[in-house]
Amino acid sequence: MANNLYRFTHALKHTHRILIHNVRRGAFFPMNFKKNYSSALYISGNNAYKSFAYLSPYLDFDEKFGNLDKLQENLTSRGIDIDVIQLKEAWNFYLQMVADRYALEDHNTKLAQRLRSLQENTERTAEQEQEILKLRTQLNVVRQDLKTVKEVIWDLDEDVICRILKLPNELDPRTPVGESVILKSVGNVSDISEKNRKSHIEIGMNLDLLEYKNPLHYYLCNNAAWFELAVLAHAGRVFDENNMIRMVGTDFSRSLLVEASGLDHEDPMVAFMIENHNEVERGSPNRMHLVGGANLISFLALHTKQLINPKYLPLKYFATGRQYTPLPRDSPTCGLITACQASVVHTFVVVKDAKNEDYNMLFEELKEIVCKLYDDLCDHYRVVIRPISELQICEEMRVSFELWSPFMNRYIEIGHLSTYGDYFSKRLLIAYQTSTGRSFPAVISGTVLSVPRLLACLLEQNPDKFVIPSKISELIPSNDPITM
């Protein structure tokens, strides 16, 4: 047995020396071990001593790499430049290194057990004494190999896993490649002469409805303030009638959840970052962000690492409240349309399986509920499917609800509804129990209504006075005028 163990150890040692040498010199794929970017979602082993790993995402990319043509088409249509062949080779090499680590650990266990059994024998022969010496030598070699392999895997974690986690979600076959596809159009565009077209900022200030300084600093006044409250109340009434549960999310979130949603948690132009927070250590990748209680990230926070009883699925939630979104770099300011703080209505639905009929059925039902809400708010709107180039990496498909802006002479997205499949649940370990173990549910979510954007379009469609829809005016105190 000792000779067999020795030969096995020597073979593993030789194999790992070659692999580790090739990794160090970049023979398999280029690596950068001095990256400034640090993942908050996946904490590698060499960072575990300084960053708490709240979870480790479920990594099952074999299926994704099983169809390289489909993956490459997805990346190309989204405008993402990634060499999928190189990345697949890196992933396969990572899996091989992990498998070899397990083999070394198993071999280490067998050597230790054999050594222990010999040491327990008080009447050992000279041959057994010699075997003990060999076993100790082999254990030292295996443990040194284990240490080296672990360090290489940690380096691979920093490069391979972080790159793979940036891969986009699968695409829904209904998502168009080129232009948006109109699903529904209600009413007609308001006929306003070119000389009467005014910016909603100008109209709002003339009617004493708005004080605007910049996307971060504005105030709704008089009937515009009543309108904001009434729209949120009416939306709550509509969703309540359709048996959806009202939730109140947290305004603040960690980088872990920002990254899990497919965003760059280190980019302050993607999510507001709180500096010098007393609960976050300096240099930690898991910082605090201001996102707002009516936000996808807030809903994800409520479900992270949760095991859901399948009898309660589907879960159907909504929230009305604040949402905070930075103005992207190089984007022009467009008044309330690009406001960084907005009162919104956000929905979040958890479904058993993306391949189940309930998934598409619930999406269609939710879309119709939102359409009923828009029927009460405006005379003209349209529903469109966004093309691939306009999707976020976490989205499979995105349906937008648009109103016409006479001043900008184009349609503006007032809200949207997206399908995400199991993208979030695998990253955040949101699961439900099955007869054979656990499975990951699918998510449908979206900010279905942004009040500042709605107000902007309504003001531009009626430059001379602010006409509040009848369904909304019902919720405004009668002693306040509803037109100006």
Side-chain angles (χ1 to χ4, degrees):
M1 179 178 180
N3 289 334
N4 290 336
L5 290 175
Y6 177 78
R7 285 195 296 270
F8 182 71
T9 302
H10 179 75
L12 279 176
K13 177 182 177 183
H14 178 69
T15 301
H16 280 289
R17 294 298 184 219
I18 295 174
L19 289 175
I20 292 165
H21 174 68
N22 284 330
V23 172
R24 297 295 189 195
R25 67 185 179 86
F28 288 90
F29 49 90
M31 296 174 65
N32 179 7
F33 298 135
K34 297 181 179 180
K35 295 174 66 176
N36 293 324
Y37 180 87
S38 179
S39 175
L41 179 61
Y42 186 87
I43 305 298
S44 60
N46 57 347
N47 287 324
Y49 73 96
K50 59 182 179 181
S51 299
F52 175 71
Y54 184 70
L55 57 80
S56 183
Y58 180 75
L59 304 175
D60 64 337
F61 293 98
D62 288 337
E63 182 179 352
K64 189 180 288 288
F65 287 124
N67 191 337
L68 288 184
D69 291 338
K70 181 180 178 182
L71 177 58
Q72 187 64 67
E73 184 181 351
N74 183 352
L75 294 170
T76 303
S77 58
R78 289 177 184 264
I80 300 174
D81 184 18
I82 294 178
D83 187 338
V84 294
I85 296 177
Q86 182 193 81
L87 192 57
K88 180 184 179 181
E89 291 175 354
W91 169 247
N92 290 338
F93 179 67
Y94 173 82
L95 293 180
Q96 183 60 50
M97 291 294 290
V98 172
D100 289 346
R101 173 188 169 183
Y102 288 147
L104 279 170
E105 289 174 342
D106 182 61
H107 187 43
N108 179 71
T109 301
K110 290 179 179 178
L111 287 172
Q113 289 174 348
R114 174 61 178 165
L115 179 61
R116 194 180 305 113
S117 66
L118 289 173
Q119 289 176 333
E120 289 174 354
N121 184 5
T122 56
E123 299 179 357
R124 295 187 291 268
T125 64
E127 183 180 330
Q128 289 174 327
E129 290 290 350
Q130 187 67 24
E131 184 178 352
I132 288 175
L133 292 176
K134 290 182 178 179
L135 287 171
R136 286 174 176 168
T137 301
Q138 292 174 64
L139 276 171
N140 289 335
V141 172
V142 170
R143 288 168 181 171
Q144 182 59 41
D145 277 355
L146 261 176
K147 179 182 177 182
T148 306
V149 169
K150 285 180 180 178
E151 290 175 354
V152 173
I153 291 175
W154 291 344
D155 287 338
L156 292 171
D157 283 343
E158 284 289 314
D159 186 80
V160 178
I161 302 302
C162 290
R163 287 163 59 195
I164 285 178
L165 286 172
K166 293 179 184 178
L167 288 175
N169 200 352
E170 299 287 340
L171 289 170
D172 190 293
R174 293 169 291 181
T175 300
V177 176
E179 299 294 326
S180 298
V181 174
I182 301 174
L183 296 177
K184 181 179 182 179
S185 183
V186 177
N188 298 307
V189 175
S190 301
D191 185 16
I192 300 176
S193 61
E194 188 173 348
K195 67 176 182 179
N196 290 330
R197 293 176 187 173
K198 299 177 183 177
S199 164
H200 63 270
I201 298 297
E202 180 183 354
I203 297 169
M205 296 182 73
N206 289 339
L207 297 178
D208 200 22
L209 296 170
L210 177 66
E211 291 183 19
Y212 182 89
K213 296 184 182 296
N214 56 58
L216 284 167
H217 188 183
Y218 71 92
Y219 301 96
L220 300 183
C221 309
N222 302 315
N223 275 6
W226 282 116
F227 175 79
E228 178 184 54
L229 296 174
V231 167
L232 297 180
H234 178 64
R237 183 168 59 183
V238 170
F239 286 111
D240 283 335
E241 291 172 352
N242 286 275
N243 300 317
M244 297 189 69
I245 303 171
R246 183 189 294 268
M247 299 290 289
V248 179
T250 174
D251 283 326
F252 301 94
S253 184
R254 294 280 187 173
S255 299
L256 161 74
L257 294 159
V258 174
E259 185 178 348
S261 68
L263 302 176
D264 183 354
H265 68 93
E266 289 190 328
D267 188 350
M269 294 295 101
V270 169
F272 285 114
M273 194 179 300
I274 300 176
E275 296 287 348
N276 302 321
H277 192 268
N278 57 9
E279 293 184 4
V280 179
E281 295 182 6
R282 185 176 297 276
S284 170
N286 203 9
R287 308 173 75 172
M288 289 291 288
H289 302 263
L290 176 65
V291 296
N295 193 300
L296 169 64
I297 296 172
S298 297
F299 278 103
L300 292 177
L302 295 172
H303 294 82
T304 297
K305 290 185 70 174
Q306 295 296 315
L307 182 61
I308 303 169
N309 190 328
K311 73 178 183 180
Y312 296 127
L313 294 174
L315 299 173
K316 299 187 287 185
Y317 306 117
F318 78 95
T320 59
R322 284 290 191 180
Q323 188 176 101
Y324 301 96
T325 309
L327 183 66
R329 289 186 183 88
D330 303 323
S331 294
T333 58
C334 302
L336 297 180
I337 294 170
T338 54
C340 295
Q341 52 177 324
S343 294
V344 304
V345 182
H346 194 93
T347 61
F348 188 86
V349 176
V350 183
V351 191
K352 264 190 180 182
D353 188 355
K355 298 178 182 178
N356 194 299
E357 292 182 1
D358 290 345
Y359 184 57
N360 291 326
M361 183 182 70
L362 283 169
F363 180 81
E364 293 299 324
E365 287 181 0
L366 190 53
K367 186 181 71 176
E368 290 305 314
I369 293 171
V370 178
C371 285
K372 290 179 182 178
L373 175 60
Y374 277 87
D375 288 338
D376 296 335
L377 298 177
C378 49
D379 296 326
H380 171 60
Y381 69 92
R382 72 177 192 177
V383 184
V384 303
I385 304 181
R386 289 289 180 205
I388 298 174
S389 59
E390 297 181 18
L391 299 185
Q392 296 182 351
I393 66 168
C394 57
E395 293 176 308
E396 293 179 331
M397 179 179 68
R398 181 187 184 103
V399 170
S400 294
F401 304 90
E402 299 180 332
L403 266 65
W404 179 256
S405 167
F407 180 75
M408 299 182 71
N409 197 35
R410 64 180 177 89
Y411 282 96
I412 302 296
E413 181 185 88
I414 310 301
H416 75 274
L417 193 60
S418 300
T419 60
Y420 300 97
D422 55 15
Y423 180 87
F424 298 132
S425 57
K426 287 183 176 180
R427 292 163 79 90
L428 293 172
L429 304 184
I430 305 169
Y432 66 91
Q433 196 71 43
T434 66
S435 58
T436 57
R438 298 181 181 182
S439 188
F440 297 97
V443 170
I444 302 168
S445 187
T447 300
V448 296
L449 176 68
S450 171
V451 177
R453 291 188 169 206
L454 172 66
L455 178 62
C457 291
L458 292 181
L459 288 175
E460 291 182 9
Q461 291 171 10
N462 292 280
D464 299 323
K465 63 179 181 179
F466 180 35
V467 180
I468 298 179
S470 58
K471 290 284 187 179
I472 304 304
S473 63
E474 295 173 0
L475 299 172
I476 295 178
S478 58
N479 59 334
D480 288 273
I482 64 171
T483 60
M484 296 190 70

Coordinates of all heavy atoms in Angstrom, one line a residue, residues 342-408:
A342 N -37.0 59.8 -7.5 CA -38.4 59.7 -8.0 C -39.3 58.9 -7.2 O -38.8 57.9 -6.5 CB -38.3 59.1 -9.5
S343 N -40.5 59.3 -7.1 CA -41.6 58.4 -6.5 C -42.1 57.5 -7.6 O -42.4 57.9 -8.7 CB -42.7 59.3 -6.0 OG -42.3 60.1 -5.0
V344 N -42.0 56.2 -7.3 CA -42.3 55.2 -8.3 C -43.2 54.1 -7.7 O -43.4 54.0 -6.5 CB -41.0 54.5 -8.8 CG1 -40.0 55.6 -9.4 CG2 -40.3 53.7 -7.8
V345 N -43.7 53.2 -8.7 CA -44.4 52.0 -8.3 C -43.5 50.9 -8.9 O -43.2 50.8 -10.1 CB -45.8 51.9 -9.0 CG1 -46.5 50.7 -8.5 CG2 -46.6 53.2 -8.6
H346 N -43.1 49.9 -8.0 CA -42.3 48.8 -8.4 C -43.0 47.5 -8.1 O -43.6 47.4 -7.0 CB -40.9 48.9 -7.8 CG -39.9 48.0 -8.4 ND1 -39.0 48.4 -9.4 CD2 -39.7 46.7 -8.2 CE1 -38.3 47.4 -9.7 NE2 -38.6 46.3 -9.0
T347 N -42.9 46.5 -9.0 CA -43.5 45.2 -8.8 C -42.4 44.1 -8.7 O -41.3 44.3 -9.3 CB -44.5 44.8 -9.9 OG1 -43.8 44.8 -11.1 CG2 -45.6 45.9 -9.9
F348 N -42.7 43.0 -8.0 CA -41.7 41.9 -7.9 C -42.5 40.7 -7.7 O -43.3 40.5 -6.8 CB -40.8 42.2 -6.7 CG -39.7 41.2 -6.5 CD1 -38.5 41.5 -7.2 CD2 -39.8 40.1 -5.7 CE1 -37.4 40.6 -7.0 CE2 -38.7 39.2 -5.6 CZ -37.5 39.5 -6.2
V349 N -42.3 39.7 -8.7 CA -43.1 38.5 -8.7 C -42.1 37.3 -8.7 O -41.1 37.3 -9.5 CB -44.0 38.4 -9.9 CG1 -44.7 37.0 -9.9 CG2 -45.1 39.5 -9.8
V350 N -42.3 36.3 -7.8 CA -41.4 35.1 -7.8 C -42.2 33.9 -8.3 O -43.3 33.7 -7.7 CB -40.9 34.9 -6.4 CG1 -39.9 33.7 -6.4 CG2 -40.1 36.1 -5.9
V351 N -41.7 33.2 -9.3 CA -42.4 32.1 -9.9 C -41.6 30.9 -9.8 O -40.3 31.0 -9.8 CB -42.8 32.4 -11.4 CG1 -43.7 31.4 -12.0 CG2 -43.3 33.8 -11.6
K352 N -42.2 29.7 -9.7 CA -41.5 28.5 -9.5 C -40.4 28.2 -10.6 O -39.2 28.0 -10.3 CB -42.4 27.3 -9.5 CG -42.8 26.8 -8.2 CD -43.6 25.5 -8.3 CE -44.0 25.0 -6.9 NZ -44.7 23.7 -6.9
D353 N -40.8 28.3 -11.8 CA -39.8 27.9 -12.9 C -40.0 28.7 -14.1 O -41.2 28.9 -14.6 CB -40.1 26.4 -13.2 CG -39.0 25.8 -14.2 OD1 -38.2 26.6 -14.6 OD2 -39.0 24.6 -14.4
A354 N -38.9 29.2 -14.7 CA -39.0 30.0 -15.9 C -39.6 29.2 -17.1 O -40.1 29.8 -18.1 CB -37.7 30.6 -16.3
K355 N -39.4 27.9 -17.1 CA -39.9 27.0 -18.2 C -41.4 26.6 -18.0 O -41.9 25.9 -18.8 CB -39.0 25.8 -18.3 CG -37.6 26.1 -18.6 CD -36.7 24.9 -18.7 CE -35.2 25.3 -19.0 NZ -34.4 24.1 -19.0
N356 N -41.9 27.0 -16.8 CA -43.3 26.7 -16.6 C -44.3 27.6 -17.3 O -43.9 28.8 -17.4 CB -43.6 26.7 -15.0 CG -44.8 26.0 -14.6 OD1 -45.9 26.5 -15.0 ND2 -44.7 25.0 -13.8
E357 N -45.5 27.2 -17.6 CA -46.4 28.0 -18.3 C -46.8 29.2 -17.4 O -47.2 30.3 -17.9 CB -47.7 27.2 -18.7 CG -47.4 26.2 -19.8 CD -48.7 25.5 -20.2 OE1 -49.7 25.8 -19.6 OE2 -48.6 24.6 -21.0
D358 N -46.8 29.0 -16.1 CA -47.2 30.1 -15.1 C -46.3 31.3 -15.3 O -46.7 32.4 -15.0 CB -47.1 29.6 -13.7 CG -48.2 28.6 -13.4 OD1 -49.1 28.5 -14.2 OD2 -48.1 27.9 -12.3
Y359 N -45.1 31.1 -15.7 CA -44.1 32.2 -15.8 C -44.6 33.2 -16.9 O -44.7 34.4 -16.6 CB -42.8 31.6 -16.2 CG -41.6 32.6 -16.3 CD1 -41.3 33.4 -15.2 CD2 -40.9 32.7 -17.5 CE1 -40.2 34.3 -15.3 CE2 -39.8 33.6 -17.6 CZ -39.5 34.4 -16.5 OH -38.4 35.3 -16.6
N360 N -44.9 32.7 -18.1 CA -45.4 33.6 -19.1 C -46.8 34.1 -18.8 O -47.1 35.3 -19.1 CB -45.4 32.9 -20.5 CG -43.9 32.7 -21.0 OD1 -43.0 33.4 -20.7 ND2 -43.8 31.5 -21.6
M361 N -47.6 33.3 -18.2 CA -49.0 33.7 -17.9 C -49.0 34.8 -16.9 O -49.7 35.8 -17.1 CB -49.8 32.5 -17.4 CG -51.2 32.8 -17.1 SD -52.1 31.3 -16.4 CE -51.3 31.3 -14.7
L362 N -48.2 34.7 -15.8 CA -48.1 35.8 -14.8 C -47.6 37.0 -15.4 O -48.0 38.1 -15.0 CB -47.3 35.3 -13.6 CG -48.0 34.3 -12.7 CD1 -47.0 33.7 -11.7 CD2 -49.1 35.0 -11.9
F363 N -46.6 36.9 -16.3 CA -46.1 38.1 -16.9 C -47.2 38.8 -17.7 O -47.3 40.1 -17.6 CB -44.9 37.8 -17.9 CG -44.3 39.0 -18.6 CD1 -43.4 39.8 -17.9 CD2 -44.6 39.3 -19.9 CE1 -42.8 40.9 -18.5 CE2 -44.1 40.4 -20.5 CZ -43.2 41.2 -19.8
E364 N -47.9 38.1 -18.5 CA -49.0 38.7 -19.3 C -50.1 39.3 -18.3 O -50.6 40.4 -18.6 CB -49.7 37.7 -20.2 CG -48.7 37.2 -21.3 CD -48.3 38.3 -22.2 OE1 -49.1 39.2 -22.5 OE2 -47.1 38.3 -22.7
E365 N -50.4 38.6 -17.3 CA -51.4 39.2 -16.3 C -50.9 40.5 -15.7 O -51.7 41.4 -15.6 CB -51.7 38.1 -15.2 CG -52.5 36.9 -15.6 CD -52.7 36.0 -14.5 OE1 -52.3 36.3 -13.4 OE2 -53.4 34.9 -14.7
L366 N -49.6 40.5 -15.3 CA -49.1 41.7 -14.7 C -49.0 42.8 -15.7 O -49.3 44.0 -15.3 CB -47.7 41.4 -14.2 CG -47.0 42.4 -13.3 CD1 -47.9 42.8 -12.1 CD2 -45.7 41.9 -12.7
K367 N -48.7 42.5 -16.9 CA -48.7 43.5 -18.0 C -50.1 44.2 -18.2 O -50.2 45.4 -18.3 CB -48.2 42.9 -19.3 CG -48.0 43.9 -20.4 CD -47.5 43.3 -21.7 CE -48.6 42.5 -22.3 NZ -48.3 41.8 -23.6
E368 N -51.1 43.3 -18.1 CA -52.5 43.8 -18.3 C -52.9 44.7 -17.1 O -53.6 45.7 -17.2 CB -53.5 42.7 -18.5 CG -53.3 42.0 -19.8 CD -53.5 42.9 -21.0 OE1 -54.4 43.7 -20.9 OE2 -52.6 42.9 -21.9
I369 N -52.5 44.3 -15.9 CA -52.8 45.1 -14.7 C -52.1 46.5 -14.8 O -52.8 47.5 -14.6 CB -52.2 44.4 -13.4 CG1 -53.0 43.1 -13.2 CG2 -52.3 45.4 -12.2 CD1 -52.4 42.3 -12.0
V370 N -50.9 46.6 -15.3 CA -50.2 47.8 -15.5 C -50.9 48.6 -16.6 O -51.1 49.9 -16.5 CB -48.7 47.6 -15.8 CG1 -48.0 49.0 -16.1 CG2 -48.0 46.9 -14.7
C371 N -51.4 48.0 -17.6 CA -52.1 48.7 -18.7 C -53.4 49.3 -18.2 O -53.8 50.4 -18.5 CB -52.4 47.7 -19.8 SG -51.0 47.3 -20.9
K372 N -54.1 48.6 -17.3 CA -55.3 49.2 -16.6 C -55.0 50.4 -15.8 O -55.7 51.4 -15.8 CB -55.9 48.1 -15.7 CG -56.6 47.0 -16.5 CD -57.2 46.0 -15.5 CE -57.8 44.8 -16.2 NZ -58.3 43.8 -15.3
L373 N -53.8 50.4 -15.2 CA -53.4 51.6 -14.4 C -53.1 52.7 -15.4 O -53.6 53.9 -15.1 CB -52.1 51.2 -13.7 CG -51.4 52.4 -12.9 CD1 -52.3 53.0 -11.9 CD2 -50.1 51.9 -12.3
Y374 N -52.5 52.5 -16.5 CA -52.2 53.6 -17.5 C -53.5 54.0 -18.2 O -53.6 55.2 -18.6 CB -51.2 53.1 -18.5 CG -49.8 53.2 -18.1 CD1 -49.2 52.2 -17.4 CD2 -49.1 54.4 -18.3 CE1 -47.9 52.4 -16.9 CE2 -47.8 54.6 -17.9 CZ -47.2 53.5 -17.2 OH -45.9 53.7 -16.7
D375 N -54.5 53.1 -18.3 CA -55.8 53.6 -18.8 C -56.4 54.7 -18.0 O -57.1 55.5 -18.5 CB -56.7 52.4 -18.9 CG -56.4 51.4 -20.0 OD1 -55.7 51.8 -20.9 OD2 -56.8 50.2 -19.9
D376 N -56.2 54.6 -16.7 CA -56.7 55.6 -15.7 C -55.9 56.9 -15.7 O -56.4 57.9 -15.1 CB -56.8 55.0 -14.3 CG -57.7 53.8 -14.2 OD1 -58.7 53.7 -15.1 OD2 -57.5 53.0 -13.3
L377 N -54.7 56.8 -16.2 CA -53.8 58.0 -16.1 C -53.6 58.8 -17.3 O -53.3 60.0 -17.2 CB -52.4 57.5 -15.7 CG -52.3 56.7 -14.3 CD1 -50.9 56.2 -14.1 CD2 -52.7 57.6 -13.2
C378 N -53.8 58.3 -18.5 CA -53.6 59.1 -19.7 C -54.5 58.6 -20.8 O -55.0 57.5 -20.8 CB -52.1 59.0 -20.1 SG -51.4 57.3 -20.1
D379 N -54.6 59.5 -21.8 CA -55.4 59.2 -23.0 C -54.6 58.4 -24.0 O -55.2 57.6 -24.8 CB -56.0 60.5 -23.6 CG -56.9 61.2 -22.7 OD1 -57.6 60.5 -21.9 OD2 -56.9 62.5 -22.7
H380 N -53.3 58.6 -24.1 CA -52.5 57.9 -25.1 C -51.3 57.3 -24.4 O -50.5 58.0 -23.7 CB -52.2 58.8 -26.2 CG -51.2 58.2 -27.2 ND1 -51.4 57.1 -27.9 CD2 -49.9 58.6 -27.5 CE1 -50.4 56.8 -28.6 NE2 -49.4 57.7 -28.4
Y381 N -51.0 56.1 -24.7 CA -49.7 55.4 -24.3 C -49.5 54.2 -25.2 O -50.4 53.8 -25.9 CB -49.8 55.0 -22.8 CG -50.7 53.8 -22.5 CD1 -50.2 52.5 -22.6 CD2 -52.0 54.1 -22.2 CE1 -51.1 51.5 -22.3 CE2 -52.9 53.0 -21.9 CZ -52.4 51.7 -22.0 OH -53.3 50.7 -21.7
R382 N -48.3 53.7 -25.2 CA -48.1 52.5 -26.0 C -47.2 51.6 -25.2 O -46.4 52.0 -24.3 CB -47.5 52.8 -27.3 CG -46.1 53.3 -27.3 CD -45.5 53.5 -28.7 NE -44.1 53.7 -28.7 CZ -43.4 53.9 -29.9 NH1 -44.0 53.9 -31.0 NH2 -42.1 54.0 -29.8
V383 N -47.3 50.3 -25.5 CA -46.5 49.2 -24.9 C -45.6 48.6 -25.9 O -46.0 48.2 -27.0 CB -47.4 48.1 -24.3 CG1 -46.6 47.1 -23.5 CG2 -48.5 48.8 -23.4
V384 N -44.3 48.6 -25.7 CA -43.3 48.1 -26.6 C -42.3 47.1 -26.0 O -42.1 47.2 -24.8 CB -42.5 49.2 -27.3 CG1 -43.4 50.3 -27.9 CG2 -41.6 49.9 -26.3
I385 N -41.8 46.2 -26.8 CA -40.7 45.3 -26.4 C -39.4 46.0 -26.8 O -39.2 46.3 -28.0 CB -40.8 43.9 -27.0 CG1 -42.2 43.3 -26.7 CG2 -39.7 43.0 -26.5 CD1 -42.3 41.9 -27.3
R386 N -38.5 46.2 -25.9 CA -37.2 46.8 -26.1 C -36.3 45.8 -26.9 O -36.3 44.6 -26.6 CB -36.5 47.2 -24.8 CG -37.2 48.4 -24.1 CD -36.9 49.6 -24.9 NE -37.6 50.8 -24.3 CZ -37.9 51.8 -24.9 NH1 -37.7 51.9 -26.2 NH2 -38.5 52.9 -24.3
P387 N -35.5 46.3 -27.8 CA -34.5 45.5 -28.5 C -33.4 45.0 -27.6 O -33.2 45.6 -26.5 CB -34.0 46.4 -29.6 CG -34.2 47.8 -29.1 CD -35.4 47.7 -28.2
I388 N -32.6 44.1 -28.0 CA -31.5 43.5 -27.2 C -30.5 44.5 -26.8 O -30.1 44.5 -25.6 CB -30.8 42.4 -28.0 CG1 -31.8 41.2 -28.3 CG2 -29.6 41.8 -27.2 CD1 -31.3 40.2 -29.2
S389 N -30.2 45.4 -27.7 CA -29.2 46.4 -27.4 C -29.5 47.4 -26.2 O -28.6 48.0 -25.7 CB -28.9 47.3 -28.7 OG -30.1 47.9 -29.1
E390 N -30.8 47.4 -25.9 CA -31.2 48.3 -24.8 C -31.5 47.6 -23.5 O -31.9 48.2 -22.5 CB -32.5 49.1 -25.2 CG -32.3 50.0 -26.4 CD -33.6 50.7 -26.8 OE1 -34.5 50.8 -26.0 OE2 -33.6 51.2 -28.0
L391 N -31.2 46.3 -23.4 CA -31.4 45.6 -22.2 C -30.2 45.7 -21.3 O -29.1 45.8 -21.7 CB -31.6 44.1 -22.5 CG -32.8 43.7 -23.4 CD1 -32.9 42.2 -23.5 CD2 -34.1 44.3 -22.9
Q392 N -30.5 45.6 -20.0 CA -29.4 45.4 -19.0 C -29.0 44.0 -19.0 O -29.7 43.1 -19.5 CB -29.9 45.8 -17.6 CG -30.3 47.3 -17.5 CD -30.7 47.6 -16.1 OE1 -30.9 46.7 -15.2 NE2 -30.9 48.9 -15.8
I393 N -27.8 43.7 -18.5 CA -27.3 42.3 -18.6 C -28.1 41.3 -17.8 O -28.0 40.1 -18.1 CB -25.8 42.2 -18.2 CG1 -25.6 42.5 -16.7 CG2 -24.9 43.2 -19.0 CD1 -24.3 42.2 -16.2
C394 N -28.9 41.8 -16.9 CA -29.7 40.9 -16.0 C -31.0 40.5 -16.7 O -31.7 39.6 -16.3 CB -29.9 41.5 -14.7 SG -30.7 43.1 -14.7
E395 N -31.4 41.2 -17.8 CA -32.8 41.1 -18.3 C -32.8 40.1 -19.4 O -31.9 40.0 -20.3 CB -33.2 42.4 -18.9 CG -33.5 43.5 -17.8 CD -33.9 44.8 -18.4 OE1 -33.2 45.3 -19.3 OE2 -34.9 45.4 -18.0
E396 N -33.9 39.3 -19.5 CA -34.2 38.4 -20.6 C -35.0 39.1 -21.6 O -34.8 39.0 -22.8 CB -35.0 37.2 -20.1 CG -34.3 36.2 -19.2 CD -35.2 35.1 -18.8 OE1 -36.4 35.3 -18.7 OE2 -34.6 34.0 -18.6
M397 N -36.0 39.9 -21.1 CA -36.9 40.7 -22.0 C -37.4 41.9 -21.2 O -37.5 41.8 -20.0 CB -38.1 39.8 -22.4 CG -39.1 40.5 -23.3 SD -40.4 39.5 -23.9 CE -41.3 39.1 -22.3
R398 N -37.6 43.0 -21.9 CA -38.1 44.2 -21.2 C -39.2 44.8 -22.1 O -39.1 45.1 -23.2 CB -36.9 45.2 -21.2 CG -37.3 46.5 -20.5 CD -36.1 47.5 -20.6 NE -36.3 48.7 -19.9 CZ -35.7 49.0 -18.7 NH1 -34.9 48.1 -18.1 NH2 -35.9 50.2 -18.1
V399 N -40.4 45.0 -21.4 CA -41.5 45.6 -22.0 C -41.7 47.0 -21.4 O -41.7 47.1 -20.1 CB -42.8 44.8 -21.8 CG1 -44.0 45.6 -22.2 CG2 -42.7 43.5 -22.5
S400 N -41.8 48.0 -22.2 CA -41.8 49.4 -21.7 C -43.2 50.0 -21.9 O -43.9 49.7 -22.9 CB -40.8 50.3 -22.5 OG -39.5 49.9 -22.1
F401 N -43.6 50.9 -21.0 CA -44.8 51.6 -21.1 C -44.4 53.1 -21.4 O -43.8 53.7 -20.6 CB -45.6 51.5 -19.8 CG -45.9 50.1 -19.5 CD1 -45.1 49.4 -18.7 CD2 -47.1 49.5 -19.9 CE1 -45.3 48.0 -18.3 CE2 -47.3 48.1 -19.6 CZ -46.5 47.4 -18.8
E402 N -44.9 53.6 -22.6 CA -44.3 54.9 -23.0 C -45.4 55.9 -23.2 O -46.6 55.6 -23.6 CB -43.6 54.7 -24.4 CG -42.4 53.8 -24.3 CD -41.8 53.6 -25.7 OE1 -42.5 53.8 -26.7 OE2 -40.5 53.3 -25.7
L403 N -45.1 57.2 -22.9 CA -45.9 58.3 -23.2 C -45.2 59.3 -24.2 O -44.0 59.3 -24.2 CB -46.3 59.1 -22.0 CG -47.6 58.7 -21.3 CD1 -47.6 57.3 -20.8 CD2 -47.9 59.7 -20.1
W404 N -46.0 60.0 -24.9 CA -45.4 61.0 -25.9 C -45.0 62.3 -25.3 O -45.7 62.9 -24.5 CB -46.4 61.2 -27.0 CG -45.9 62.2 -28.1 CD1 -46.3 63.5 -28.2 CD2 -45.0 61.9 -29.1 NE1 -45.7 64.0 -29.3 CE2 -44.9 63.1 -29.9 CE3 -44.3 60.7 -29.5 CZ2 -44.0 63.1 -31.0 CZ3 -43.4 60.8 -30.6 CH2 -43.3 62.0 -31.3
S405 N -43.8 62.7 -25.6 CA -43.3 64.0 -25.1 C -43.3 65.0 -26.3 O -42.4 64.9 -27.2 CB -41.9 63.9 -24.6 OG -41.3 65.2 -24.4
P406 N -44.2 65.9 -26.4 CA -44.3 66.8 -27.5 C -43.0 67.7 -27.7 O -42.5 68.0 -28.8 CB -45.5 67.7 -27.2 CG -46.4 66.9 -26.3 CD -45.4 66.1 -25.5
F407 N -42.4 68.1 -26.5 CA -41.3 69.0 -26.6 C -40.1 68.2 -27.1 O -39.3 68.7 -28.0 CB -41.0 69.5 -25.2 CG -39.8 70.4 -25.1 CD1 -39.8 71.7 -25.6 CD2 -38.5 70.0 -24.6 CE1 -38.7 72.6 -25.6 CE2 -37.4 70.8 -24.6 CZ -37.5 72.1 -25.1
M408 N -39.9 67.0 -26.7 CA -38.7 66.2 -27.2 C -39.0 65.5 -28.5 O -38.2 64.9 -29.1 CB -38.3 65.2 -26.1 CG -37.9 65.8 -24.8 SD -37.3 64.6 -23.6 CE -35.8 64.1 -24.3

